[in-house]
């Protein structure tokens, strides 16, 4: 399919920027990141782009392609309309550093506010634990997360309402769910989920689940069960009556 395609790439930094068009040769099998690399090599040596594995596993090359949060390395050009310019922007939910690179460090700071894993005492004579296979499998899905932060980027609570100081976002709710539902964990994060991590801001739009490159069922399998725990503790009339 050797042909020409135009990429409308946002160039700038924290002070501001604008789109710039680059037309380049594209071929069968190329992904968006390949085109960006070709532009970088041939036309814009100073174009900043973060990437690492080029296999959808490192979560580095997150960007907005024609307005949708995606991994550039996993987006085939054959799936995009190349008749019109392809728009490439940095993620909107995080501060731009330069060009397609954003500062995602807030996610790692917010992660530290979640209470860590606290295993129960070993229950076997050899000092190890026994767990039900079903319980192990329930949290396995959450561990597929590659921390690309596309779900954080698409969530309107962060993207449009900028509630970073209050709401931890879908990625970190998945992390909290992995801990909360872990069969060995004894920590109680329910109060924090309500008061500190503001899970109530999530109105279950499912946008996060739709952009996850690992197809984690973020909303249904992680967020809703956490919400149920909060509702169970704080809004069940009988439990409210006896709560200290
Ligand atoms: Fe945001 Fe996902 Fe909830 S996109 S509003 S965390 S369902």
């Amino acid at each position: 399919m050797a042909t020409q395609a135009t990429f409308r790439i946002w160039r700038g930094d924290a002070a501001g920027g604008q789109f710039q068009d680059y037309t380049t040769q594209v071929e069968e099998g190329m992904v968006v990141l390949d085109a960006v690399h070709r532009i970088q090599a041939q036309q814009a040596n100073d174009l900043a782009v973060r990437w690492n594995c080029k296999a959808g596993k490192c979560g580095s090359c997150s960007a907005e392609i024609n307005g949708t949060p995606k991994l550039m390395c996993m987006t085939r050009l054959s799936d995009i309309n190349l008749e019109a310019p392809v728009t490439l922007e940095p993620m909107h939910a995080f501060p731009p550093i330069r060009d397609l690179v954003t500062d995602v460090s807030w996610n790692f700071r917010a992660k530290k506010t979640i209470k860590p894993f606290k295993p129960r005492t070993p229950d076997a004579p050899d000092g190890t634990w026994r767990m039900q296979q079903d319980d192990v499998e329930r949290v396995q899905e959450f561990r597929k997360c590659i921390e690309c932060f596309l779900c954080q980027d698409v969530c309107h609570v962060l993207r449009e309402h900028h509630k970073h100081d209050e709401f931890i976002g879908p990625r970190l709710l998945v992390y909290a769910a992995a801990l909360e539902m872990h069969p060995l964990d004894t920590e109680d994060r329910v109060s924090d989920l309500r008061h500190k991590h503001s899970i109530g801001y999530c109105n279950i739009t499912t946008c996060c689940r739709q952009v996850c490159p690992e197809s984690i069922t973020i909303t249904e399998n992680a967020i809703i069960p956490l919400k149920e725990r909060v509702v169970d503790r704080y809004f069940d009339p009988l439990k409210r009556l006896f709560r200290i």
Side-chain angles (χ1 to χ4, degrees):
M1 86 176 197
T3 183
Q4 299 274 307
T6 299
F7 294 83
R8 186 159 288 166
I9 304 178
W10 191 86
R11 304 293 314 266
D13 54 27
Q18 69 284 314
F19 286 97
Q20 202 165 319
D21 283 359
Y22 301 92
T23 299
T24 190
Q25 175 97 353
V26 295
E27 284 127 36
E28 186 81 42
M30 279 176 72
V31 293
V32 169
L33 187 59
D34 292 322
V36 170
H37 282 160
R38 186 165 282 180
I39 291 164
Q40 196 183 43
Q42 297 175 348
Q43 303 178 48
N45 299 153
D46 60 346
L47 174 61
V49 57
R50 183 190 284 132
W51 67 285
N52 195 0
C53 75
K54 211 169 168 281
K57 288 295 164 206
C58 73
S60 302
C61 66
S62 303
E64 302 200 3
I65 303 171
N66 285 338
T68 303
K70 284 176 183 285
L71 294 180
M72 288 189 280
C73 73
M74 297 303 285
T75 307
R76 292 190 171 278
L77 293 182
S78 54
D79 292 335
I80 300 177
N81 173 22
L82 299 178
E83 303 291 313
V86 179
T87 305
L88 301 181
E89 299 167 78
M91 289 191 284
H92 287 200
F94 308 112
I97 295 178
R98 221 183 90 203
D99 304 335
L100 298 173
V101 180
T102 50
D103 177 2
V104 294
S105 59
W106 167 80
N107 294 282
F108 301 111
R109 289 193 297 277
K111 194 175 189 179
K112 287 184 184 162
T113 66
I114 298 169
K115 286 181 186 163
F117 181 57
K118 187 172 152 193
R120 62 174 152 81
T121 317
D123 54 15
D126 62 355
T128 60
W129 295 267
R130 297 294 173 268
M131 295 174 268
Q132 294 297 318
Q133 191 61 31
D134 281 356
D135 293 337
V136 173
E137 280 164 11
R138 191 172 307 124
V139 292
Q140 211 52 32
E141 176 188 16
F142 306 142
R143 300 182 69 90
K144 291 194 300 177
C145 177
I146 57 171
E147 297 203 313
C148 60
F149 306 124
L150 294 174
C151 60
Q152 305 284 66
D153 184 44
V154 83
C155 178
H156 69 102
V157 183
L158 299 173
R159 184 187 182 88
E160 276 142 42
H161 303 291
H162 310 291
K163 295 286 187 189
H164 298 67
D165 288 343
E166 300 170 61
F167 180 59
I168 54 172
R171 157 57 194 141
L172 296 178
L173 289 172
V174 166
Y175 178 66
L179 295 168
E180 270 299 293
M181 297 181 203
H182 194 292
L184 297 185
D185 184 68
T186 57
E187 188 57 89
D188 182 351
R189 300 174 189 83
V190 175
S191 171
D192 281 1
L193 282 165
R194 182 182 179 204
H195 298 112
K196 192 167 158 191
H197 307 317
S198 305
I199 193 171
Y201 276 132
C202 165
N203 54 345
I204 318 181
T205 59
T206 74
C207 305
C208 50
R209 189 244 291 146
Q210 291 171 42
V211 300
C212 178
E214 285 290 325
S215 303
I216 300 171
T217 320
I218 299 174
T219 325
E220 292 82 350
N221 290 355
I223 298 178
I224 290 176
L226 292 180
K227 277 177 170 285
E228 283 170 349
R229 289 175 188 218
V230 171
V231 168
D232 199 38
R233 174 160 319 166
Y234 290 99
F235 301 99
D236 179 303
L238 278 179
K239 286 193 179 157
R240 276 180 81 168
L241 206 61
F242 295 110
R243 202 176 66 241
I244 302 166

